[in-house]
């Protein structure tokens, strides 16, 4: 086990994880991918930072936060699951459990494909990227702890990012071999009226009815047509509430 940096030094990380802390970097995902591609690291390596200057979310959106406020972390996992998106689902489920431990009052849930919601507002986003040379994937997580942008949620300043990460890694280890049913049970998107905004073509509105074995979101549109989506931005449409 290898850890560097002030408050992070005192954290009792679960066995089998290698955790490295840096004060600032461009992107923890990019750093871990470079190390993977160079053969310098392998499975269960973790890089956490106080500040990212070039953090990215899905669809190349910028992900930023004031230094030292939030959990900004990437996790290297190998091999890649047979359904690759399962890697993000596992991290999402582990993060969900960690949040419930540090904030027992939190009404937290997953949102397809890779967000955590607190009281229906975005708490965290997850982005996975595959290594170009290894059978491995890097899963990045940005979770709002002491700071959140307008319209998003945070855990609050009484929570330490390091404590969330330690619990996340421990809960990751406890996940069963098959997580499909658990993922569905924690997914707030199923049963919701949604709008799926696609990379190309018009948005589709309807009711999210399932996630299939390939992790695609199954939606029954207003005209009764059932479609499965591999990618897309999903908006939960609730009358009288903000859309997320």
């Amino acid at each position: 086990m290898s850890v560097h940096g002030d408050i992070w030094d005192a954290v009792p990380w679960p066995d089998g994880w290698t955790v490295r802390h840096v004060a600032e970097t461009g992107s923890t995902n990019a750093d871990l991918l470079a190390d993977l591609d160079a053969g310098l690291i392998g499975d269960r390596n973790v890089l956490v930072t106080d500040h990212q200057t070039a953090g990215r979310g899905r669809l190349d959106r910028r992900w930023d936060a004031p230094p030292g406020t939030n959990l900004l972390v990437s996790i290297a996992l190998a091999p890649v699951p047979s359904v690759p998106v399962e890697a993000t689902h596992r991290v999402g489920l582990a993060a969900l459990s960690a949040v419930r431990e540090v904030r027992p009052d939190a009404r937290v849930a997953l949102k397809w494909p890779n967000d955590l919601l607190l009281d229906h507002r975005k708490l965290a986003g997850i982005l996975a990227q595959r290594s170009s040379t290894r059978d491995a994937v890097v899963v990045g997580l940005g979770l709002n702890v002491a700071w959140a942008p307008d319209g998003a949620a945070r855990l609050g300043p009484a929570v330490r990012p390091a404590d969330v990460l330690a619990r996340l890694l421990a809960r990751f280890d406890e996940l069963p071999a098959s997580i499909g049913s658990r993922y569905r049970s924690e997914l707030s998107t199923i049963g919701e009226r949604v709008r799926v905004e696609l990379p190309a073509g018009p948005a589709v509105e309807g009711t999210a009815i399932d996630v299939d074995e390939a992790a695609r979101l199954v939606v029954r549109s207003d005209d009764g047509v059932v479609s499965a989506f591999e990618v897309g931005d999903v908006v939960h449409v609730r009358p009288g509430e903000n859309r997320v």
Side-chain angles (χ1 to χ4, degrees), residues 47-71:
L47 178 63
V48 61
T49 188
D50 298 329
H51 187 229
Q52 289 191 121
T53 59
R56 287 289 182 268
R58 290 185 64 249
L59 305 179
D60 205 33
R61 293 180 179 127
R62 183 172 176 81
W63 181 275
D64 199 6
T69 57
N70 292 344
L71 177 58

Side-chain angles (χ1 to χ4, degrees), residues 63-87:
W63 181 275
D64 199 6
T69 57
N70 292 344
L71 177 58
L72 307 173
V73 63
S74 294
I75 302 169
L77 300 171
V80 179
S82 57
V83 178
V85 75
E86 182 185 311

Side-chain angles (χ1 to χ4, degrees), residues 182-230:
R182 181 167 174 181
Y183 175 75
R184 289 180 182 86
S185 72
E186 298 285 10
L187 194 64
S188 63
T189 307
I190 295 177
E192 289 278 358
R193 180 168 179 78
V194 299
R195 184 174 70 248
V196 184
E197 298 175 347
L198 304 171
V204 175
E205 283 207 17
T207 300
I209 59 174
D210 199 5
V211 171
D212 66 16
E213 292 183 357
R216 299 177 302 179
L217 183 67
V218 182
V219 176
R220 180 183 291 112
S221 64
D222 294 338
D223 58 6
V225 175
V226 175
S227 304
F229 299 95
E230 289 187 17

Side-chain angles (χ1 to χ4, degrees), residues 26-121:
S27 163
T28 54
N29 262 30
D31 291 350
L32 278 193
L33 281 170
D35 288 346
L36 275 172
D37 291 347
L40 299 177
I41 63 169
D43 184 37
R44 298 163 70 85
N45 270 259
V46 180
L47 178 63
V48 61
T49 188
D50 298 329
H51 187 229
Q52 289 191 121
T53 59
R56 287 289 182 268
R58 290 185 64 249
L59 305 179
D60 205 33
R61 293 180 179 127
R62 183 172 176 81
W63 181 275
D64 199 6
T69 57
N70 292 344
L71 177 58
L72 307 173
V73 63
S74 294
I75 302 169
L77 300 171
V80 179
S82 57
V83 178
V85 75
E86 182 185 311
T88 62
H89 292 177
R90 287 184 174 274
V91 172
L93 286 168
L96 196 72
S97 295
V99 168
R100 287 172 175 158
E101 289 185 27
V102 298
R103 277 278 309 272
D105 62 320
R107 296 188 301 166
V108 64
L110 298 175
K111 176 190 170 192
W112 190 93
N114 57 4
D115 288 345
L116 272 71
L117 303 182
L118 173 61
D119 293 330
H120 306 301
R121 294 178 296 151

